[in-house]
Amino acid sequence: MNGAGPAAGGRNTGAARPVALLLPGQGSQHQRMAAGLLDTEPVFARAMDEALTALGDPGGPAGRATGLREDWLGTPGTAVIDHVTRSQPLLFAVDYALARLVLSWGVRPVALLGHSIGEVAAAVLSGVFTLRDAAAMVHDRVTRLAQAPPGGMVAVAASRDEVAPFLTDGVAVGAVNALRQTVLAGLDTPLRAVTTALADAGFVLQHVPASTAFHSPALAAAMGGADERIAALPVGEPRIPVVSGYTARTLTPAEAKDPAFWSRQPVAPVHFWPALEALLAEGELVLVEAGPGQGLSQLARRHPAVRSGRSVVVPLLPARPGTGEQDVTAVRAAAETLRGLGAVPGTRAV
């Protein structure tokens, strides 16, 4: 990050311990994610309604919001929640609504770091896009990606250099999530061959819930022409610094206004770990994961700044899908933790 990053946004005011929000992406989705909060957290419920309504009317078919809501709240296993037309818009909505809930507690984040679709939610929270315009972009994106050939993603417990010799045409590094967690993406047949070779070589692998080769060149053709759609959207300058997972530095006004910056995101690799390092280099932070699961929290806990105790990680929700009561318990515990850490104005660190 540069000198115009979070440090210039008020970290030295002494009003509250500085907080950065982490907004997760593909792989963290599951049915009924955060749904337990609908009856207990009115701010979250209203924000979800706003997001689902925006996603249901971006110039596309009427009634889509109802379909998304049914897939989100339906009986587990009855909907294709991992399909791009469901996972991406629902993750966008849940990330946005959970972040709005955190803001309602009085937390004023000094930075936002989103992973994949989480960066679009961060752009809304920062003021780059309105919720409606970002939803239109998400709708256009997933409509295009739904036409791409079948593919997937696999996380490998290895560095980027270690997996490089195994890569073939059609398989690329889709994300660098940690020093020894690299995500590969590609179309089904070549990805299967590469993962077999890696498994035979003794690497530990885990399939990412996705039916699309996110963040790989395989999606370039599907995203062709997206620039023109995005260019029609009004764009503002970030009011809260956004640390981009694509550049590993603070999003500049010029990048925010560049349609190609947004249209190439499904094709470009995510550099989450370098972005996290840039974020934590700015000083001590409370990292709040505002999204389903604790995937980004688990990655952040590997960072020396967190292991040493200089920075702290606070996830909002349980690590694994559970009951609605568990969602509520986890969120209330997170709120109390943030107050105890002095991350809310008017509270004192303990």
Side-chain angles (χ1 to χ4, degrees):
M1 290 196 298
N2 53 39
R11 290 197 175 186
N12 298 319
T13 64
R17 189 167 178 179
V19 172
L21 300 187
L22 305 179
L23 304 156
Q26 188 74 30
S28 59
Q29 75 279 355
H30 60 84
Q31 278 187 281
R32 302 193 62 80
M33 49 186 168
L37 307 180
L38 286 174
D39 294 331
T40 62
E41 301 292 345
V43 172
F44 172 82
R46 285 194 299 271
M48 278 300 297
D49 282 341
E50 292 169 2
L52 291 174
T53 298
L55 288 161
D57 186 25
R64 179 161 178 76
T66 301
L68 284 172
R69 181 181 290 273
E70 289 174 348
D71 285 340
W72 172 42
L73 299 178
T75 304
T78 61
V80 188
I81 195 70
D82 296 336
H83 192 270
V84 61
T85 58
R86 295 297 186 260
S87 61
Q88 294 280 290
L90 286 173
L91 281 168
F92 166 76
V94 171
D95 283 3
Y96 168 77
L98 285 173
R100 286 281 301 274
L101 177 61
V102 174
L103 296 180
S104 76
W105 298 338
V107 174
R108 295 295 174 259
V110 298
L112 307 167
L113 170 55
H115 193 296
S116 189
I117 193 68
E119 188 157 318
V120 181
V124 177
L125 297 165
S126 180
V128 173
F129 297 111
T130 66
L131 177 61
R132 183 178 178 85
D133 288 338
M137 181 170 70
V138 171
H139 177 79
D140 181 71
R141 178 182 294 186
V142 301
T143 300
R144 293 173 183 277
L145 295 180
Q147 307 305 313
M153 307 179 78
V154 176
V156 188
S159 69
R160 185 169 188 161
D161 289 342
E162 287 176 305
V163 301
F166 294 87
L167 301 184
T168 61
D169 288 343
V171 178
V173 171
V176 178
N177 285 338
L179 293 178
R180 287 189 54 77
Q181 189 186 97
T182 304
V183 178
L184 303 183
L187 301 183
D188 280 345
T189 299
L191 182 62
R192 190 178 304 113
V194 170
T195 53
T196 298
L198 285 164
D200 290 344
F203 289 96
V204 177
L205 305 106
Q206 181 176 1
H207 285 273
V208 177
S211 56
T212 302
F214 291 106
H215 309 298
S216 78
L219 301 184
M223 290 304 297
D227 292 22
E228 298 175 8
R229 178 70 183 86
I230 298 171
L233 302 176
V235 180
E237 295 191 3
R239 295 192 299 268
I240 305 172
V242 175
V243 182
S244 174
Y246 297 93
T247 64
R249 53 179 171 76
T250 304
L251 180 69
T252 67
E255 287 168 336
K257 295 175 182 178
D258 180 7
F261 176 82
W262 302 101
S263 69
R264 67 173 174 262
Q265 287 189 352
V267 181
V270 175
H271 300 286
F272 177 77
W273 187 258
L276 180 67
E277 289 194 309
L279 175 64
L280 291 173
E282 293 290 319
E284 298 178 1
L285 281 171
V286 178
L287 302 173
V288 178
E289 183 167 7
Q294 298 182 11
L296 299 187
S297 296
Q298 292 168 1
L299 294 172
R301 289 189 183 108
R302 303 183 189 185
H303 195 280
V306 176
R307 293 204 311 269
S308 69
R310 295 194 304 275
S311 291
V312 182
V313 176
V314 181
L316 290 188
L317 292 173
R320 294 177 178 81
T323 65
E325 291 79 6
Q326 289 171 325
D327 289 345
V328 173
T329 298
V331 162
R332 291 179 177 172
E336 287 303 311
T337 298
L338 291 175
R339 293 186 185 100
L341 289 170
V344 179
T347 62
R348 186 180 299 274
V350 294

